[in-house]
Amino acid sequence: MPRPPTLKTTEIFASVQGEGLRQGEPTVFVRLAGCNLRCGFCDTGKAWQGGRELPVARIVDDVLRLQRGLPAAWVCLTGGEPLAQDVRPLIDALHEEGFLVQIETNGTFPPEPRADWITVSPKPPDYDVHPGFVKRAREVKLVVCRTLTLDAVRAVRTTFPAATPILLQPQSNAAWSRKKAMRILEGACRSGLGGIRLSVQLHKVYGLR
Ligand code: SF4
């Protein structure tokens, strides 16, 4: 008999989506363990290693329990890099319970078409993503780190359709990064790049997880 599917998981918690176009919506987060990258600005480094191998059924039970405290229509699979594991059984099980599923990914693995919303966040130094994301990403998030340049933003803008917004997200909401985001936005506007917006990590403003 095949073993029930499991996923290496760091934490499951209810909060409000603080990033991207879904900002402000109650959401249950499933943070999966492991990542293939090592970004210098990573604020979820605890998810790089470890985690507990949890049965998918147990994850769904936890999501349902948390949703009773904070009614949420959405579950966000994040990390680490959630697409480094096979998330299909979890997405199917969450859909059966009536949830919508968002995936936050660095874009280096193939996209998962079962997801209802894909947020792709290309990472330095090359900002490359799997070509499958070009049409599937609902939004693109760029962390405004020390090395982000207008040329990199231009390259990402060229990769994705004009209708896909690119959000400039200040690193840890820091003042230097907010200033830099504004400079990049001005430069983008001056050079005719459209669909680029300022963003902020709303959950940190509100003191949430
Ligand atoms: S891709 Fe995301 S989780 Fe992985 S190291 Fe970079 S910021 Fe951290």
Side-chain angles (χ1 to χ4, degrees), residues 44-119:
T44 55
K46 64 180 177 185
W48 287 353
Q49 290 156 352
R52 278 195 305 156
E53 203 71 57
L54 293 182
V56 163
R58 159 74 193 280
I59 296 173
V60 174
D61 282 349
D62 280 6
V63 169
L64 286 166
R65 178 178 50 76
L66 288 162
Q67 193 235 16
R68 284 194 282 277
L70 180 70
W74 284 87
V75 176
C76 179
L77 309 186
T78 189
E81 173 45 53
L83 293 179
Q85 302 185 64
D86 182 2
V87 294
R88 291 172 300 180
L90 177 58
I91 296 176
D92 288 345
L94 290 168
H95 280 161
E96 275 173 32
E97 295 294 342
F99 289 102
L100 294 163
V101 179
Q102 176 181 14
I103 292 181
E104 293 179 331
T105 173
N106 62 30
T108 54
F109 291 88
E112 174 42 60
R114 285 168 168 79
D116 302 288
W117 185 290
I118 293 179
T119 303

Side-chain angles (χ1 to χ4, degrees), residues 35-39 41-45 48 79-81 106 123:
C35 187
N36 56 319
L37 302 184
R38 289 290 180 269
C39 305
F41 52 77
C42 184
D43 59 2
T44 55
W48 287 353
E81 173 45 53
N106 62 30
K123 295 296 192 279

Side-chain angles (χ1 to χ4, degrees), residues 3-177:
R3 289 180 54 198
T6 61
L7 285 165
K8 200 167 259 195
T9 306
T10 303
E11 59 180 348
I12 305 171
F13 61 98
S15 186
V16 167
Q17 175 56 274
E19 301 180 355
L21 299 180
R22 289 200 49 256
Q23 201 175 57
E25 292 189 81
T27 301
V28 178
F29 291 84
V30 178
R31 187 181 307 288
L32 298 176
C35 187
N36 56 319
L37 302 184
R38 289 290 180 269
C39 305
F41 52 77
C42 184
D43 59 2
T44 55
K46 64 180 177 185
W48 287 353
Q49 290 156 352
R52 278 195 305 156
E53 203 71 57
L54 293 182
V56 163
R58 159 74 193 280
I59 296 173
V60 174
D61 282 349
D62 280 6
V63 169
L64 286 166
R65 178 178 50 76
L66 288 162
Q67 193 235 16
R68 284 194 282 277
L70 180 70
W74 284 87
V75 176
C76 179
L77 309 186
T78 189
E81 173 45 53
L83 293 179
Q85 302 185 64
D86 182 2
V87 294
R88 291 172 300 180
L90 177 58
I91 296 176
D92 288 345
L94 290 168
H95 280 161
E96 275 173 32
E97 295 294 342
F99 289 102
L100 294 163
V101 179
Q102 176 181 14
I103 292 181
E104 293 179 331
T105 173
N106 62 30
T108 54
F109 291 88
E112 174 42 60
R114 285 168 168 79
D116 302 288
W117 185 290
I118 293 179
T119 303
V120 65
S121 184
K123 295 296 192 279
D126 54 18
Y127 291 91
D128 283 344
V129 296
H130 186 283
F133 285 103
V134 170
K135 288 199 174 141
R136 289 196 186 279
R138 293 286 292 272
E139 59 185 351
V140 177
K141 201 168 60 182
L142 288 177
V143 176
V144 184
C145 59
R146 300 269 182 200
T147 58
L148 182 70
T149 61
L150 181 56
D151 280 346
V153 175
R154 187 177 289 114
V156 173
R157 180 66 288 171
T158 310
T159 300
F160 290 90
T164 309
I166 295 177
L167 295 116
L168 300 175
Q169 182 173 285
Q171 180 180 330
S172 304
N173 285 356
W176 66 264
S177 183

